[in-house]
Amino acid sequence: MTSTHGGHHGTSHGQPTGTGERRNGFGIAALVLGIVGVLLFWTAFGGIVLGLLAVVFGVLGFRRARRGVATNGTMAIIGAVLGALTLVVSAVLLALGVAVINSDEFKSYQDCIEQANSQSERQDCARDFDREVEER
Protein backbone atom coordinates (compact mmCIF):
# COMPACT_ATOMS: atom_id res chain seq x y z
CA MET A 1 0.00 0.00 0.00
CA THR A 2 1.41 3.37 -1.04
CA SER A 3 0.92 6.55 0.96
CA THR A 4 1.63 10.17 0.09
CA HIS A 5 2.08 10.96 3.78
CA GLY A 6 5.36 9.12 4.17
CA GLY A 7 3.92 6.18 6.10
CA HIS A 8 1.95 8.20 8.65
CA HIS A 9 -1.55 6.86 8.15
CA GLY A 10 -4.02 9.33 9.69
CA THR A 11 -1.52 10.90 12.07
CA SER A 12 0.88 13.78 12.04
CA HIS A 13 3.72 13.39 14.53
CA GLY A 14 1.58 11.08 16.64
CA GLN A 15 -1.55 13.30 16.65
CA PRO A 16 -4.72 12.48 14.74
CA THR A 17 -5.29 14.72 11.76
CA GLY A 18 -9.05 14.30 11.69
CA THR A 19 -10.93 14.02 8.44
CA GLY A 20 -9.52 17.14 6.75
CA GLU A 21 -6.18 18.79 6.22
CA ARG A 22 -4.65 21.22 8.67
CA ARG A 23 -5.57 24.80 7.88
CA ASN A 24 -2.97 27.46 8.68
CA GLY A 25 -4.57 30.48 7.00
CA PHE A 26 -5.31 32.43 10.19
CA GLY A 27 -1.75 32.14 11.51
CA ILE A 28 -0.25 33.15 8.18
CA ALA A 29 -2.69 36.06 7.85
CA ALA A 30 -1.89 37.22 11.40
CA LEU A 31 1.84 37.23 10.74
CA VAL A 32 1.57 39.01 7.39
CA LEU A 33 -0.87 41.62 8.79
CA GLY A 34 1.32 42.10 11.86
CA ILE A 35 4.44 42.70 9.75
CA VAL A 36 2.67 45.08 7.36
CA GLY A 37 1.12 46.84 10.36
CA VAL A 38 4.57 47.34 11.91
CA LEU A 39 5.79 48.86 8.64
CA LEU A 40 2.75 51.17 8.40
CA PHE A 41 2.21 51.89 12.12
CA TRP A 42 2.34 55.64 11.53
CA THR A 43 -0.86 55.54 9.45
CA ALA A 44 -4.33 55.05 10.90
CA PHE A 45 -5.07 52.22 8.46
CA GLY A 46 -1.74 50.48 8.90
CA GLY A 47 -1.54 50.77 12.63
CA ILE A 48 -5.07 50.52 13.87
CA VAL A 49 -6.89 48.45 11.24
CA LEU A 50 -4.09 46.05 10.34
CA GLY A 51 -3.01 45.76 13.98
CA LEU A 52 -6.52 44.87 15.07
CA LEU A 53 -6.93 42.35 12.25
CA ALA A 54 -3.56 40.76 13.12
CA VAL A 55 -4.68 40.33 16.74
CA VAL A 56 -8.01 38.79 15.73
CA PHE A 57 -6.48 36.40 13.18
CA GLY A 58 -3.66 35.57 15.60
CA VAL A 59 -6.09 34.57 18.34
CA LEU A 60 -8.16 32.51 15.89
CA GLY A 61 -5.02 30.86 14.49
CA PHE A 62 -3.68 30.07 17.96
CA ARG A 63 -6.99 28.52 18.99
CA ARG A 64 -6.96 26.33 15.88
CA ALA A 65 -3.41 25.23 16.62
CA ARG A 66 -4.32 24.41 20.20
CA ARG A 67 -7.20 22.23 18.98
CA GLY A 68 -4.83 20.47 16.57
CA VAL A 69 -6.51 21.81 13.44
CA ALA A 70 -3.50 23.97 12.50
CA THR A 71 0.25 23.59 12.91
CA ASN A 72 1.42 27.20 13.11
CA GLY A 73 0.47 28.35 16.60
CA THR A 74 3.78 30.14 17.09
CA MET A 75 3.29 32.06 13.85
CA ALA A 76 -0.20 33.07 15.00
CA ILE A 77 1.13 34.26 18.37
CA ILE A 78 3.91 36.30 16.76
CA GLY A 79 1.38 37.90 14.39
CA ALA A 80 -0.96 38.73 17.28
CA VAL A 81 1.87 40.24 19.35
CA LEU A 82 3.08 42.35 16.41
CA GLY A 83 -0.50 43.45 15.79
CA ALA A 84 -1.01 44.39 19.45
CA LEU A 85 2.23 46.39 19.56
CA THR A 86 1.31 48.13 16.33
CA LEU A 87 -2.16 48.89 17.65
CA VAL A 88 -0.80 50.39 20.89
CA VAL A 89 1.88 52.52 19.20
CA SER A 90 -0.57 53.77 16.57
CA ALA A 91 -3.16 54.64 19.21
CA VAL A 92 -0.55 56.63 21.18
CA LEU A 93 0.55 58.46 18.02
CA LEU A 94 -3.05 59.21 17.12
CA ALA A 95 -3.75 60.55 20.62
CA LEU A 96 -0.64 62.75 20.47
CA GLY A 97 -1.63 64.03 17.03
CA VAL A 98 -5.13 64.91 18.22
CA ALA A 99 -3.68 66.63 21.28
CA VAL A 100 -1.34 68.73 19.12
CA ILE A 101 -4.06 69.66 16.63
CA ASN A 102 -6.41 70.69 19.44
CA SER A 103 -3.75 72.71 21.26
CA ASP A 104 -3.79 76.50 21.52
CA GLU A 105 -0.28 76.59 20.04
CA PHE A 106 -1.44 74.85 16.88
CA LYS A 107 -4.46 77.16 16.54
CA SER A 108 -2.12 80.14 16.84
CA TYR A 109 0.13 78.58 14.21
CA GLN A 110 -2.82 78.10 11.84
CA ASP A 111 -3.91 81.71 12.31
CA CYS A 112 -0.36 82.89 11.69
CA ILE A 113 -0.04 80.82 8.49
CA GLU A 114 -3.37 82.13 7.17
CA GLN A 115 -2.23 85.72 7.66
CA ALA A 116 1.31 85.18 6.31
CA ASN A 117 1.99 86.80 2.94
CA SER A 118 5.46 85.42 2.23
CA GLN A 119 7.59 82.34 2.73
CA SER A 120 9.69 84.11 5.37
CA GLU A 121 6.54 84.96 7.37
CA ARG A 122 5.48 81.29 7.19
CA GLN A 123 8.91 80.27 8.44
CA ASP A 124 8.55 82.73 11.33
CA CYS A 125 5.19 81.10 12.16
CA ALA A 126 6.86 77.69 12.22
CA ARG A 127 9.68 78.92 14.45
CA ASP A 128 7.19 80.51 16.85
CA PHE A 129 5.17 77.28 16.96
CA ASP A 130 8.28 75.20 17.66
CA ARG A 131 9.32 77.58 20.46
CA GLU A 132 5.84 77.51 22.05
CA VAL A 133 5.72 73.70 21.94
CA GLU A 134 9.21 73.39 23.46
CA GLU A 135 8.31 75.79 26.28
CA ARG A 136 5.27 73.71 27.14
Side-chain angles (χ1 to χ4, degrees):
M1 177 161 38
T2 321
S3 172
T4 59
H5 299 291
H8 296 285
H9 298 285
T11 64
S12 173
H13 304 290
Q15 297 178 0
T17 59
T19 58
E21 292 187 26
R22 295 187 186 259
R23 298 179 357 212
N24 292 319
F26 285 140
I28 293 167
L31 186 60
V32 170
L33 290 168
I35 290 170
V36 174
V38 165
L39 296 174
L40 299 174
F41 75 93
W42 50 274
T43 67
F45 176 77
I48 306 242
V49 174
L50 295 179
L52 184 60
L53 288 172
V55 169
V56 169
F57 285 131
V59 168
L60 292 172
F62 176 73
R63 291 173 90 188
R64 279 189 170 200
R66 202 172 62 194
R67 286 193 325 256
V69 180
T71 59
N72 61 348
T74 302
M75 186 183 296
I77 291 171
I78 292 170
V81 168
L82 289 174
L85 291 174
T86 300
L87 191 58
V88 168
V89 171
S90 292
V92 168
L93 286 177
L94 182 63
L96 288 173
V98 168
V100 167
I101 288 173
N102 288 330
S103 69
D104 292 335
E105 293 85 5
F106 188 74
K107 290 174 184 163
S108 296
Y109 172 73
Q110 282 181 312
D111 292 340
C112 184
I113 290 292
E114 288 173 5
Q115 295 172 5
N117 294 321
S118 67
Q119 182 64 28
S120 65
E121 288 178 355
R122 287 187 207 62
Q123 289 173 344
D124 289 341
C125 293
R127 274 193 290 275
D128 291 344
F129 175 70
D130 288 342
R131 186 174 54 252
E132 288 177 13
V133 169
E134 287 175 6
E135 289 174 359
R136 196 169 202 209

Coordinates of all heavy atoms in Angstrom, one line a residue, residues 41-125:
F41 N 2.8 51.5 10.8 CA 2.2 51.9 12.1 C 1.9 53.4 12.2 O 1.0 53.8 13.0 CB 3.2 51.5 13.3 CG 4.3 52.4 13.4 CD1 4.3 53.5 14.3 CD2 5.5 52.2 12.7 CE1 5.3 54.4 14.4 CE2 6.6 53.1 12.8 CZ 6.5 54.2 13.6
W42 N 2.5 54.2 11.5 CA 2.3 55.6 11.5 C 1.1 56.1 10.8 O 0.7 57.3 10.9 CB 3.6 56.4 11.0 CG 4.0 55.8 9.7 CD1 4.8 54.8 9.4 CD2 3.6 56.3 8.4 NE1 5.0 54.6 8.1 CE2 4.2 55.5 7.4 CE3 2.8 57.3 8.0 CZ2 4.0 55.7 6.1 CZ3 2.6 57.5 6.6 CH2 3.2 56.7 5.7
T43 N 0.4 55.2 10.1 CA -0.9 55.5 9.4 C -2.0 54.9 10.2 O -1.9 53.9 10.9 CB -0.9 55.0 8.0 OG1 -0.9 53.6 8.1 CG2 0.3 55.4 7.2
A44 N -3.2 55.6 10.2 CA -4.3 55.1 10.9 C -4.7 53.7 10.4 O -5.0 52.8 11.1 CB -5.5 56.0 10.8
F45 N -4.7 53.5 9.0 CA -5.1 52.2 8.5 C -4.0 51.2 8.8 O -4.4 50.1 9.3 CB -5.2 52.3 6.9 CG -5.5 51.0 6.3 CD1 -6.7 50.5 6.3 CD2 -4.5 50.3 5.7 CE1 -7.0 49.2 5.7 CE2 -4.7 49.0 5.1 CZ -6.0 48.5 5.1
G46 N -2.8 51.5 8.6 CA -1.7 50.5 8.9 C -1.6 50.1 10.4 O -1.5 48.9 10.7
G47 N -1.7 51.1 11.2 CA -1.5 50.8 12.6 C -2.8 50.2 13.3 O -2.7 49.2 14.0
I48 N -3.9 50.9 13.1 CA -5.1 50.5 13.9 C -5.8 49.3 13.2 O -6.0 48.3 13.8 CB -6.0 51.7 14.0 CG1 -5.2 52.9 14.6 CG2 -7.3 51.4 14.7 CD1 -5.6 53.4 15.9
V49 N -6.1 49.5 11.9 CA -6.9 48.5 11.2 C -6.1 47.2 11.1 O -6.6 46.1 11.5 CB -7.4 49.0 9.9 CG1 -8.1 47.9 9.1 CG2 -8.3 50.2 10.1
L50 N -4.9 47.3 10.5 CA -4.1 46.1 10.3 C -3.7 45.4 11.7 O -3.6 44.2 11.8 CB -2.9 46.3 9.5 CG -3.2 46.8 8.0 CD1 -1.9 47.0 7.3 CD2 -4.0 45.7 7.3
G51 N -3.4 46.3 12.7 CA -3.0 45.8 14.0 C -4.2 45.0 14.6 O -4.0 43.9 15.1
L52 N -5.3 45.5 14.5 CA -6.5 44.9 15.1 C -6.8 43.6 14.3 O -7.1 42.5 15.0 CB -7.7 45.8 15.0 CG -9.0 45.3 15.6 CD1 -8.8 45.0 17.1 CD2 -10.1 46.3 15.4
L53 N -6.7 43.6 13.0 CA -6.9 42.3 12.2 C -5.9 41.3 12.6 O -6.2 40.1 12.7 CB -6.9 42.6 10.8 CG -8.1 43.4 10.2 CD1 -7.9 43.8 8.8 CD2 -9.4 42.5 10.4
A54 N -4.6 41.7 12.8 CA -3.6 40.8 13.1 C -3.8 40.1 14.5 O -3.6 38.9 14.6 CB -2.2 41.5 13.2
V55 N -4.3 40.9 15.4 CA -4.7 40.3 16.7 C -5.8 39.3 16.6 O -5.7 38.2 17.1 CB -5.0 41.5 17.7 CG1 -5.6 40.9 19.0 CG2 -3.8 42.3 18.1
V56 N -6.9 39.7 15.9 CA -8.0 38.8 15.7 C -7.6 37.5 15.0 O -7.9 36.4 15.5 CB -9.1 39.5 14.9 CG1 -10.2 38.5 14.5 CG2 -9.7 40.6 15.8
F57 N -6.9 37.6 13.9 CA -6.5 36.4 13.2 C -5.5 35.6 14.0 O -5.5 34.4 13.9 CB -5.9 36.7 11.8 CG -6.9 37.1 10.8 CD1 -6.8 38.3 10.0 CD2 -8.1 36.4 10.6 CE1 -7.7 38.6 9.1 CE2 -9.0 36.7 9.7 CZ -8.9 37.8 8.9
G58 N -4.6 36.3 14.8 CA -3.7 35.6 15.6 C -4.3 34.7 16.7 O -4.0 33.6 16.9
V59 N -5.3 35.3 17.3 CA -6.1 34.6 18.3 C -6.8 33.4 17.7 O -6.8 32.3 18.2 CB -7.1 35.5 19.1 CG1 -8.0 34.7 19.9 CG2 -6.3 36.5 19.9
L60 N -7.5 33.6 16.6 CA -8.2 32.5 15.9 C -7.2 31.4 15.5 O -7.4 30.2 15.6 CB -8.9 33.0 14.7 CG -10.1 33.9 15.0 CD1 -10.7 34.5 13.7 CD2 -11.2 33.2 15.8
G61 N -6.0 31.8 14.9 CA -5.0 30.9 14.5 C -4.4 30.1 15.7 O -4.2 28.9 15.6
F62 N -4.2 30.8 16.8 CA -3.7 30.1 18.0 C -4.7 29.1 18.5 O -4.3 27.9 18.9 CB -3.3 31.1 19.1 CG -2.9 30.4 20.3 CD1 -1.6 29.8 20.4 CD2 -3.7 30.4 21.4 CE1 -1.2 29.2 21.6 CE2 -3.3 29.8 22.6 CZ -2.0 29.2 22.7
R63 N -6.0 29.4 18.5 CA -7.0 28.5 19.0 C -7.1 27.3 18.1 O -7.3 26.2 18.6 CB -8.3 29.2 19.1 CG -8.3 30.3 20.2 CD -9.6 31.1 20.2 NE -10.6 30.4 21.0 CZ -11.8 30.8 21.1 NH1 -12.2 31.8 20.4 NH2 -12.6 30.2 21.9
R64 N -6.9 27.5 16.8 CA -7.0 26.3 15.9 C -5.8 25.4 16.1 O -5.9 24.2 16.1 CB -6.9 26.8 14.4 CG -8.2 27.2 13.9 CD -8.2 27.4 12.4 NE -9.5 27.6 12.0 CZ -9.9 27.5 10.7 NH1 -9.0 27.1 9.8 NH2 -11.1 27.6 10.4
A65 N -4.6 26.0 16.4 CA -3.4 25.2 16.6 C -3.5 24.5 17.9 O -3.1 23.3 18.0 CB -2.2 26.1 16.7
R66 N -4.1 25.1 18.9 CA -4.3 24.4 20.2 C -5.3 23.2 20.1 O -5.1 22.2 20.8 CB -4.8 25.4 21.2 CG -4.6 25.0 22.6 CD -4.9 26.1 23.6 NE -6.3 26.4 23.5 CZ -6.9 27.4 24.1 NH1 -6.1 28.3 24.7 NH2 -8.2 27.6 24.0
R67 N -6.3 23.3 19.2 CA -7.2 22.2 19.0 C -6.6 21.2 18.1 O -7.2 20.1 17.9 CB -8.5 22.8 18.3 CG -9.4 23.5 19.3 CD -10.8 23.8 18.7 NE -10.8 24.0 17.3 CZ -11.0 25.2 16.7 NH1 -11.1 26.3 17.4 NH2 -11.1 25.3 15.4
G68 N -5.5 21.4 17.5 CA -4.8 20.5 16.6 C -5.3 20.6 15.1 O -5.0 19.7 14.3
V69 N -6.0 21.6 14.8 CA -6.5 21.8 13.4 C -5.5 22.6 12.6 O -5.6 22.5 11.4 CB -7.9 22.6 13.5 CG1 -8.4 22.8 12.1 CG2 -8.9 21.8 14.3
A70 N -4.5 23.2 13.2 CA -3.5 24.0 12.5 C -2.2 23.6 13.1 O -2.1 23.2 14.3 CB -3.8 25.5 12.6
T71 N -1.1 23.9 12.4 CA 0.2 23.6 12.9 C 1.1 24.8 13.2 O 2.3 24.7 13.5 CB 1.0 22.7 11.9 OG1 1.1 23.4 10.7 CG2 0.3 21.4 11.7
N72 N 0.6 26.0 13.0 CA 1.4 27.2 13.1 C 1.0 28.1 14.3 O 0.9 29.3 14.1 CB 1.4 28.0 11.8 CG 0.1 28.4 11.4 OD1 -1.0 28.0 11.9 ND2 0.0 29.3 10.4
G73 N 0.9 27.6 15.4 CA 0.5 28.3 16.6 C 1.5 29.4 16.9 O 1.1 30.5 17.3
T74 N 2.7 29.1 16.8 CA 3.8 30.1 17.1 C 3.7 31.3 16.1 O 3.8 32.5 16.5 CB 5.2 29.5 17.0 OG1 5.2 28.4 17.9 CG2 6.3 30.5 17.3
M75 N 3.4 31.0 14.9 CA 3.3 32.1 13.9 C 2.1 32.9 14.2 O 2.1 34.2 14.1 CB 3.1 31.4 12.5 CG 3.1 32.4 11.3 SD 2.8 31.6 9.7 CE 4.2 30.6 9.5
A76 N 1.0 32.3 14.6 CA -0.2 33.1 15.0 C 0.1 34.0 16.2 O -0.4 35.1 16.2 CB -1.3 32.1 15.3
I77 N 0.8 33.5 17.2 CA 1.1 34.3 18.4 C 2.0 35.4 18.0 O 1.8 36.6 18.4 CB 1.8 33.4 19.4 CG1 0.8 32.4 20.0 CG2 2.4 34.3 20.5 CD1 1.5 31.4 20.9
I78 N 3.0 35.2 17.2 CA 3.9 36.3 16.8 C 3.1 37.4 16.0 O 3.3 38.6 16.2 CB 5.1 35.8 15.9 CG1 6.0 34.9 16.8 CG2 5.8 36.9 15.3 CD1 7.0 34.1 16.0
G79 N 2.2 36.9 15.1 CA 1.4 37.9 14.4 C 0.5 38.7 15.3 O 0.4 39.9 15.2
A80 N -0.1 38.0 16.3 CA -1.0 38.7 17.3 C -0.2 39.7 18.1 O -0.6 40.8 18.4 CB -1.7 37.7 18.2
V81 N 1.0 39.3 18.5 CA 1.9 40.2 19.4 C 2.3 41.4 18.5 O 2.2 42.6 19.0 CB 3.1 39.5 19.9 CG1 4.1 40.5 20.5 CG2 2.7 38.5 21.0
L82 N 2.7 41.2 17.3 CA 3.1 42.3 16.4 C 1.9 43.3 16.2 O 2.0 44.5 16.2 CB 3.6 41.8 15.1 CG 5.0 41.2 15.1 CD1 5.3 40.6 13.7 CD2 6.0 42.2 15.5
G83 N 0.7 42.7 16.0 CA -0.5 43.4 15.8 C -0.8 44.3 17.0 O -1.2 45.4 16.9
A84 N -0.7 43.7 18.2 CA -1.0 44.4 19.4 C 0.0 45.5 19.7 O -0.5 46.7 20.0 CB -1.0 43.4 20.6
L85 N 1.2 45.3 19.4 CA 2.2 46.4 19.6 C 1.9 47.5 18.6 O 2.0 48.7 18.9 CB 3.6 45.8 19.4 CG 4.2 44.9 20.4 CD1 5.5 44.3 20.0 CD2 4.3 45.7 21.8
T86 N 1.6 47.1 17.3 CA 1.3 48.1 16.3 C 0.1 48.9 16.7 O 0.0 50.1 16.6 CB 1.1 47.4 15.0 OG1 2.3 46.7 14.6 CG2 0.7 48.4 13.9
L87 N -0.9 48.2 17.2 CA -2.2 48.9 17.7 C -1.9 49.9 18.8 O -2.4 51.0 18.7 CB -3.1 47.8 18.1 CG -4.6 48.2 18.4 CD1 -5.2 48.8 17.1 CD2 -5.4 46.9 18.8
V88 N -1.1 49.5 19.8 CA -0.8 50.4 20.9 C 0.0 51.6 20.4 O -0.4 52.8 20.8 CB 0.0 49.6 22.0 CG1 0.5 50.6 23.0 CG2 -0.9 48.6 22.6
V89 N 1.1 51.4 19.7 CA 1.9 52.5 19.2 C 1.1 53.5 18.3 O 1.2 54.7 18.5 CB 3.1 52.0 18.5 CG1 3.9 53.1 17.8 CG2 4.0 51.3 19.4
S90 N 0.3 52.9 17.4 CA -0.6 53.8 16.6 C -1.6 54.6 17.4 O -1.9 55.7 17.1 CB -1.3 52.9 15.5 OG -0.4 52.4 14.6
A91 N -2.2 53.9 18.4 CA -3.2 54.6 19.2 C -2.5 55.8 20.0 O -3.1 56.9 20.1 CB -3.8 53.7 20.2
V92 N -1.3 55.6 20.5 CA -0.6 56.6 21.2 C -0.2 57.8 20.2 O -0.4 58.9 20.5 CB 0.7 56.1 21.8 CG1 1.6 57.2 22.3 CG2 0.4 55.1 23.0
L93 N 0.3 57.4 19.0 CA 0.6 58.5 18.0 C -0.7 59.2 17.6 O -0.7 60.5 17.5 CB 1.2 57.8 16.8 CG 2.6 57.4 16.9 CD1 3.1 56.7 15.6 CD2 3.5 58.6 17.3
L94 N -1.8 58.5 17.5 CA -3.1 59.2 17.1 C -3.5 60.2 18.2 O -3.9 61.3 18.0 CB -4.1 58.2 16.8 CG -5.5 58.7 16.4 CD1 -5.4 59.4 15.1 CD2 -6.5 57.6 16.3
A95 N -3.4 59.7 19.5 CA -3.7 60.6 20.6 C -2.9 61.8 20.7 O -3.3 62.9 20.9 CB -3.7 59.7 21.9
L96 N -1.6 61.6 20.5 CA -0.6 62.7 20.5 C -1.0 63.7 19.3 O -0.9 64.9 19.5 CB 0.8 62.3 20.3 CG 1.4 61.6 21.6 CD1 2.8 61.0 21.2 CD2 1.5 62.6 22.7
G97 N -1.3 63.2 18.2 CA -1.6 64.0 17.0 C -2.9 64.8 17.3 O -2.9 66.0 17.0
V98 N -3.9 64.2 17.9 CA -5.1 64.9 18.2 C -4.9 66.0 19.3 O -5.4 67.1 19.2 CB -6.2 63.9 18.7 CG1 -7.4 64.6 19.3 CG2 -6.7 63.0 17.5
A99 N -4.0 65.7 20.2 CA -3.7 66.6 21.3 C -3.0 67.8 20.7 O -3.3 69.0 21.1 CB -2.8 66.0 22.4
V100 N -2.1 67.6 19.8 CA -1.3 68.7 19.1 C -2.3 69.6 18.3 O -2.3 70.8 18.4 CB -0.2 68.2 18.3 CG1 0.4 69.3 17.4 CG2 0.9 67.7 19.2
I101 N -3.1 68.9 17.5 CA -4.1 69.7 16.6 C -5.1 70.5 17.4 O -5.4 71.6 17.0 CB -4.8 68.7 15.7 CG1 -3.8 68.2 14.6 CG2 -6.0 69.3 15.0 CD1 -4.3 67.1 13.7
N102 N -5.4 70.0 18.6 CA -6.4 70.7 19.4 C -5.8 71.7 20.4 O -6.5 72.4 21.1 CB -7.3 69.7 20.2 CG -8.2 69.0 19.4 OD1 -8.7 69.5 18.4 ND2 -8.5 67.7 19.7
S103 N -4.4 71.8 20.3 CA -3.7 72.7 21.3 C -3.9 74.2 20.8 O -4.1 74.5 19.7 CB -2.3 72.3 21.3 OG -1.6 72.6 20.1
D104 N -3.8 75.1 21.8 CA -3.8 76.5 21.5 C -2.6 76.9 20.6 O -2.7 77.8 19.8 CB -3.8 77.3 22.8 CG -5.0 77.1 23.6 OD1 -6.1 76.8 23.0 OD2 -5.0 77.3 24.9
E105 N -1.5 76.3 20.8 CA -0.3 76.6 20.0 C -0.5 76.3 18.6 O -0.1 77.1 17.7 CB 0.9 75.8 20.5 CG 1.4 76.2 21.9 CD 0.7 75.4 23.0 OE1 -0.1 74.6 22.7 OE2 1.0 75.8 24.2
F106 N -1.2 75.2 18.3 CA -1.4 74.8 16.9 C -2.5 75.8 16.3 O -2.3 76.2 15.1 CB -1.9 73.4 16.8 CG -2.0 72.9 15.3 CD1 -0.9 72.6 14.6 CD2 -3.3 72.8 14.7 CE1 -1.0 72.2 13.3 CE2 -3.4 72.4 13.4 CZ -2.2 72.1 12.7
K107 N -3.5 76.2 17.0 CA -4.5 77.2 16.5 C -3.8 78.5 16.2 O -4.1 79.1 15.2 CB -5.6 77.3 17.5 CG -6.5 76.1 17.6 CD -7.5 76.1 18.7 CE -8.3 74.8 18.7 NZ -9.0 74.6 19.9
S108 N -2.9 78.9 17.1 CA -2.1 80.1 16.8 C -1.3 80.0 15.6 O -1.2 80.9 14.8 CB -1.2 80.5 18.0 OG -1.9 80.7 19.2
Y109 N -0.7 78.8 15.4 CA 0.1 78.6 14.2 C -0.7 78.7 13.0 O -0.3 79.3 12.0 CB 0.8 77.2 14.3 CG 1.5 76.7 13.1 CD1 2.7 77.3 12.7 CD2 0.9 75.7 12.3 CE1 3.3 76.9 11.5 CE2 1.6 75.3 11.2 CZ 2.7 75.9 10.8 OH 3.4 75.4 9.6
Q110 N -1.9 78.1 13.0 CA -2.8 78.1 11.8 C -3.2 79.5 11.5 O -3.2 79.9 10.3 CB -4.1 77.3 12.1 CG -3.9 75.8 12.0 CD -5.2 75.0 12.2 OE1 -5.9 75.3 13.2 NE2 -5.5 74.1 11.3
D111 N -3.6 80.3 12.5 CA -3.9 81.7 12.3 C -2.8 82.5 11.7 O -2.9 83.3 10.8 CB -4.3 82.4 13.6 CG -5.6 81.8 14.2 OD1 -6.4 81.2 13.4 OD2 -5.9 82.0 15.4
C112 N -1.6 82.2 12.2 CA -0.4 82.9 11.7 C -0.1 82.5 10.2 O 0.1 83.4 9.4 CB 0.8 82.5 12.5 SG 2.4 83.3 12.1
I113 N -0.3 81.3 9.9 CA 0.0 80.8 8.5 C -1.1 81.5 7.6 O -0.7 81.9 6.4 CB -0.1 79.3 8.4 CG1 1.1 78.7 9.1 CG2 -0.2 78.8 7.0 CD1 2.4 78.9 8.4
E114 N -2.3 81.5 8.0 CA -3.4 82.1 7.2 C -3.1 83.6 6.9 O -3.5 84.1 5.8 CB -4.7 82.0 7.8 CG -5.2 80.5 7.8 CD -6.5 80.3 8.6 OE1 -7.1 81.3 9.1 OE2 -6.9 79.2 8.7
Q115 N -2.5 84.3 7.8 CA -2.2 85.7 7.7 C -0.9 86.0 7.0 O -0.6 87.1 6.6 CB -2.3 86.4 9.0 CG -3.7 86.4 9.6 CD -3.8 86.9 11.0 OE1 -2.8 87.4 11.5 NE2 -4.9 86.8 11.7
A116 N 0.0 85.0 6.9 CA 1.3 85.2 6.3 C 1.2 85.5 4.8 O 0.4 84.8 4.1 CB 2.2 84.0 6.6
N117 N 2.0 86.4 4.4 CA 2.0 86.8 2.9 C 3.2 86.3 2.2 O 3.3 86.5 1.0 CB 1.9 88.3 2.8 CG 0.5 88.8 3.3 OD1 -0.5 88.2 3.1 ND2 0.5 89.9 4.0
S118 N 4.2 85.8 2.9 CA 5.5 85.4 2.2 C 6.0 84.1 2.9 O 5.6 83.7 4.0 CB 6.5 86.5 2.3 OG 6.9 86.7 3.7
Q119 N 7.0 83.6 2.2 CA 7.6 82.3 2.7 C 8.3 82.6 4.0 O 8.3 81.8 5.0 CB 8.6 81.8 1.7 CG 9.2 80.5 2.1 CD 8.2 79.3 2.3 OE1 7.2 79.3 1.7 NE2 8.6 78.4 3.2
S120 N 9.0 83.8 4.1 CA 9.7 84.1 5.4 C 8.7 84.3 6.5 O 9.0 83.9 7.7 CB 10.6 85.4 5.2 OG 9.8 86.5 5.0
E121 N 7.5 84.8 6.3 CA 6.5 85.0 7.4 C 6.0 83.6 7.8 O 5.8 83.3 9.0 CB 5.4 85.8 6.9 CG 5.7 87.3 6.8 CD 4.6 88.2 6.3 OE1 3.5 87.6 6.0 OE2 4.7 89.4 6.3
R122 N 5.9 82.7 6.8 CA 5.5 81.3 7.2 C 6.6 80.6 8.0 O 6.3 79.9 9.0 CB 5.2 80.5 5.9 CG 3.9 80.9 5.2 CD 3.6 79.9 4.1 NE 2.8 80.4 3.0 CZ 3.1 81.4 2.2 NH1 4.2 82.0 2.3 NH2 2.3 81.7 1.2
Q123 N 7.8 80.8 7.7 CA 8.9 80.3 8.4 C 8.9 80.8 9.9 O 9.2 80.1 10.8 CB 10.3 80.5 7.7 CG 10.4 79.7 6.5 CD 11.7 80.1 5.7 OE1 12.3 81.1 5.9 NE2 12.0 79.2 4.8
D124 N 8.6 82.1 10.0 CA 8.6 82.7 11.3 C 7.4 82.1 12.1 O 7.6 81.8 13.3 CB 8.3 84.2 11.2 CG 9.5 85.0 10.7 OD1 10.6 84.5 10.8 OD2 9.3 86.1 10.2
C125 N 6.3 81.8 11.5 CA 5.2 81.1 12.2 C 5.6 79.7 12.7 O 5.3 79.4 13.8 CB 4.0 80.9 11.2 SG 3.2 82.4 10.7

